[in-house]
Amino acid sequence: MFASYAEAQSSADSVSIRGRILLDFDDIDVPEPFSGAELFIMDKDSHRSLERATTNSFGEFTFLMPKGEYYIGLYGVQYYKDYWLFPEKDFTCIIPQYPFRKVDARTNVTLDEWTLVVKRYIQLPFWFGPNSEMQKMKIDGVKVTVH
């Protein structure tokens, strides 16, 4: 006879880690929410990536994790609207190409707004990205039928 045993993580052992990311471009006065930013959370000791998250349209993200200490990382090159962004690294970095925030999550945590200063960005070619000309469903002289 075989028996299996599974135990779910207790909600008393879990914490939420919330934050908001803003973009600060040289040519705008007020930083704007960074929607679609890709983040990951790493174990403090092993630096192993545990979960990923993407910011919503307000630039907000949430991780639900066991209590502990973590690093939240933002991937070094990000895609925003029609641009590749290269944020300045002005905070703790344990891997040089990625910006990080250290989090001690013994209880629920709401981080201060995380403002990325963007001084370098490159406009994407017309054929790349979700808003590109190649993604349009209308091409002159071609009829598209979807079933």
Side-chain angles (χ1 to χ4, degrees):
M1 179 174 199
F2 292 98
S4 64
Y5 176 78
E7 181 177 334
Q9 178 179 308
S10 164
S11 62
D13 295 333
S14 295
V15 294
S16 69
I17 303 168
R18 299 176 186 272
R20 183 170 187 231
I21 301 178
L22 301 174
L23 289 175
D24 185 7
F25 291 95
D26 284 341
D27 54 350
I28 63 171
D29 294 331
V30 179
E32 60 185 74
F34 188 178
S35 63
E38 295 183 29
L39 300 106
F40 55 95
I41 192 164
M42 293 189 325
D43 179 72
K44 178 186 148 279
D45 297 322
S46 70
H47 296 176
R48 186 173 50 103
S49 181
L50 303 171
E51 297 286 334
R52 293 177 61 142
T54 302
T55 57
N56 64 18
S57 60
F58 301 106
E60 300 166 338
F61 64 89
T62 302
F63 289 100
L64 185 61
M65 303 297 296
K67 293 176 182 178
E69 294 182 66
Y70 301 98
Y71 288 108
I72 295 178
L74 181 71
Y75 289 102
V77 178
Q78 295 279 334
Y79 173 75
Y80 180 69
K81 295 187 179 175
D82 290 329
Y83 294 90
W84 274 309
L85 306 180
F86 302 91
E88 294 291 308
K89 296 166 193 68
D90 56 354
F91 31 80
T92 305
C93 292
I94 54 175
I95 301 175
Q97 67 270 30
Y98 300 126
F100 281 88
R101 300 280 300 264
K102 185 177 178 181
V103 179
D104 186 0
R106 304 212 187 278
T107 62
N108 292 336
V109 175
T110 299
L111 300 170
D112 294 336
E113 286 185 337
W114 188 354
T115 302
L116 298 178
V117 176
V118 180
K119 294 190 179 188
R120 288 186 21 203
Y121 49 93
I122 299 172
Q123 188 164 15
L124 297 170
F126 77 95
W127 48 265
F128 186 82
N131 300 321
S132 72
E133 290 299 315
M134 297 300 284
Q135 299 299 323
K136 305 261 190 279
M137 292 302 290
K138 180 182 177 190
I139 301 173
D140 290 338
V142 176
K143 181 179 179 183
V144 177
T145 305
V146 179
H147 296 279

